[in-house]
Amino acid sequence: MTRPLALVFYESLLAGNQLINRLETLDYRTRSVSDLGQLHELATGERPLVILLELGALADRACAAIRSLRADPTTAHIPVVGFVTVKTPEDEARLSAQAQQSGARVVVGETALLTHLNTVLDQALQVD
């Protein structure tokens, strides 16, 4: 049986490495995305089960990448999980709203994602 693929974009090495380790523990294959400009092409070619994007300093570019995925019928179905790594509640609320408006299925804080990854993935993969 093939293990599902998760594409992961992160800026914070600590959070990104922890997330990748947790995904691999859950039997996912992972592929790090180092350039948000390549996300759409990778998603089209690799056909991931889920995409996880950090919403930090590059949140505007991450949201643009989400909108690009949603605009293409070949990638529109892929669930996107955004995880917020900013520290102020105002920035967290703003980035969460921005990502949801862009088409992210689930947006959570970094700590919640790492603590409840299995539940967050279940929520993201739920078919409506």
Side-chain angles (χ1 to χ4, degrees), residues 9-11 34-36 54-64 85 95 98:
F9 169 78
Y10 58 91
E11 300 171 63
S34 58
D35 180 1
L36 284 168
E54 180 176 344
L55 302 169
L58 298 176
D60 290 338
R61 291 191 61 215
C63 289
T85 57
L95 293 177
Q98 183 180 355

Side-chain angles (χ1 to χ4, degrees), residues 72-122:
D72 183 346
T74 62
T75 58
H77 68 283
I78 302 170
V80 175
V81 175
F83 60 100
V84 180
T85 57
V86 296
K87 300 304 178 204
T88 67
E90 296 81 16
D91 285 342
E92 184 171 349
R94 178 182 56 80
L95 293 177
S96 293
Q98 183 180 355
Q100 288 174 335
Q101 289 171 353
S102 296
R105 176 133 342 139
V106 178
V107 181
V108 296
E110 169 190 2
T111 303
L113 177 66
L114 293 172
T115 304
H116 304 289
L117 181 59
N118 203 22
T119 303
V120 171
L121 289 172
D122 286 346

Side-chain angles (χ1 to χ4, degrees), residues 8 39 41 44 46:
V8 182
L39 180 64
E41 181 181 339
T44 302
E46 298 287 332

Side-chain angles (χ1 to χ4, degrees), residues 11-57:
E11 300 171 63
S12 166
L13 288 177
L14 180 60
N17 287 333
Q18 287 177 333
L19 177 57
I20 286 173
N21 288 338
R22 293 283 322 275
L23 285 164
E24 290 175 352
T25 299
L26 294 173
D27 211 26
Y28 277 79
R29 291 179 298 130
T30 60
R31 177 151 182 199
S32 296
V33 178
S34 58
D35 180 1
L36 284 168
Q38 296 178 342
L39 180 64
H40 189 239
E41 181 181 339
L42 285 171
T44 302
E46 298 287 332
R47 305 216 168 159
L49 183 63
V50 66
I51 297 172
L52 298 103
L53 301 175
E54 180 176 344
L55 302 169

